[in-house]
Amino acid sequence: MARWTASLFRYSPLLILAALWEAVAQLGLVARSALPPLSDVIKAWFALAVTSDFWFNAVDSLYRTFAGLALAVVVGAAIGIAMASSKPVRAVLNPIVEVFYPLPKSALIPVTALWLGFGDMSKILLIFLGCMLPVTLGAYNGARGSEQTLMWSARSLGASRWRMLMDVVFPSAVPEILNGVRTALATSFVLLVSSEMIAARSGLGFMIGFLGDGGNFDAMFAVVFTVAFMGFIADRLYQYAMQRTLQWR
């Protein structure tokens, strides 16, 4: 009971915001096209939820998100650790990372669409490119922070370079990698919706643009909330998994 009370208190600002939203919309202080009543948005969500198109689009979005994110984690972690472990690799890749990290990743939407069309692969490539750099930097900073005493001990015991990477460098880099992945997870949803609104024929971002263009603002807000809720749940689950992963520390 105490846990539920604490959770209710924690999220009470959201409940207050929801009540204010409903009151402002019902009193006509804001145009319904700009801010429909929350009750109408909820009704629209249930109307969408009974249609197969809504769930097909949600599945398409989730597939694109996690396919691109998984590739970014694997490739980004490998590149980051390689940069930290090898001066030649760092000399080649560091300038590329420095140039592309501040680049707005949404600027790549037309490029990926031009290369791969409006299907899944252009979204996956965009999310991969946008999410790889946070993971790369996390892996690089974590690997660079490996305790020198542990590396000296491993070297004195005759450990090969590969064993040192797997037994010393990678475990040391895991916390920073996980932090980078959390940043990449949030970025993936931003890039997903942006790309689907501009260059897609399916997905939740496509639905947001389609419903908005058709003037169905209640349903449009319902889909926006669906994406926001998906991102929130993904972040909560990831934080739980990250805490479990780092218990060894």
Side-chain angles (χ1 to χ4, degrees):
M1 186 62 181
R3 185 176 180 181
W4 284 102
T5 303
S7 297
L8 182 63
F9 180 77
R10 179 180 181 183
Y11 294 109
S12 58
L14 294 178
L15 299 176
I16 296 172
L17 181 62
L20 288 173
W21 178 352
E22 182 70 14
V24 167
Q26 292 292 355
L27 292 172
L29 300 178
V30 179
R32 294 177 68 93
S33 59
L35 190 69
L38 183 59
S39 56
D40 291 349
V41 173
I42 294 173
K43 292 176 184 176
W45 188 89
F46 280 105
L48 287 172
V50 298
T51 64
S52 59
D53 285 345
F54 175 74
W55 297 109
F56 283 134
N57 282 294
V59 169
D60 284 346
S61 293
L62 287 174
Y63 165 69
R64 294 162 179 167
T65 300
F66 291 109
L69 185 62
L71 289 172
V73 171
V74 174
V75 177
I79 291 175
I81 292 175
M83 287 174 60
S85 304
S86 172
K87 288 183 178 180
V89 173
R90 183 162 63 251
V92 172
L93 295 181
N94 194 54
I96 299 175
V97 172
E98 290 179 351
V99 169
F100 283 96
Y101 185 74
L103 173 72
K105 307 308 181 290
S106 57
L108 297 175
I109 294 174
V111 177
T112 57
L114 178 65
W115 288 348
L116 299 174
F118 285 17
D120 291 341
M121 294 309 299
S122 62
K123 316 303 178 297
I124 293 172
L125 176 62
L126 177 70
I127 293 170
F128 164 70
L129 294 174
C131 295
M132 181 179 63
L133 290 179
V135 180
T136 298
L137 292 178
Y140 173 76
N141 292 329
R144 291 279 289 179
S146 302
E147 293 187 30
Q148 291 297 321
T149 54
L150 293 177
M151 298 184 68
W152 291 334
S153 299
R155 190 178 294 113
S156 66
L157 292 173
S160 64
R161 187 177 182 84
W162 174 253
R163 295 302 305 176
M164 287 180 60
L165 285 174
M166 297 305 298
D167 295 342
V168 179
V169 177
F170 180 73
S172 298
V174 165
E176 290 294 334
I177 292 174
L178 294 178
N179 287 331
V181 172
R182 188 183 180 194
T183 301
L185 179 62
T187 303
S188 67
F189 281 95
V190 175
L191 293 175
L192 172 77
V193 174
S194 300
S195 62
E196 287 182 342
M197 290 181 67
I198 296 173
R201 297 187 180 92
S202 65
L204 295 177
F206 168 77
M207 287 190 70
I208 292 171
F210 178 78
L211 293 169
D213 291 341
N216 192 350
F217 300 113
D218 297 349
M220 182 193 76
F221 272 89
V223 180
V224 170
F225 273 108
T226 300
V227 177
F229 184 74
M230 286 166 52
F232 173 78
I233 293 298
D235 183 69
R236 295 295 102 181
L237 291 174
Y238 180 76
Q239 284 195 68
Y240 175 76
M242 187 168 65
Q243 291 171 0
R244 296 293 298 269
T245 303
L246 296 179
Q247 281 183 349
W248 61 271
R249 292 179 65 88

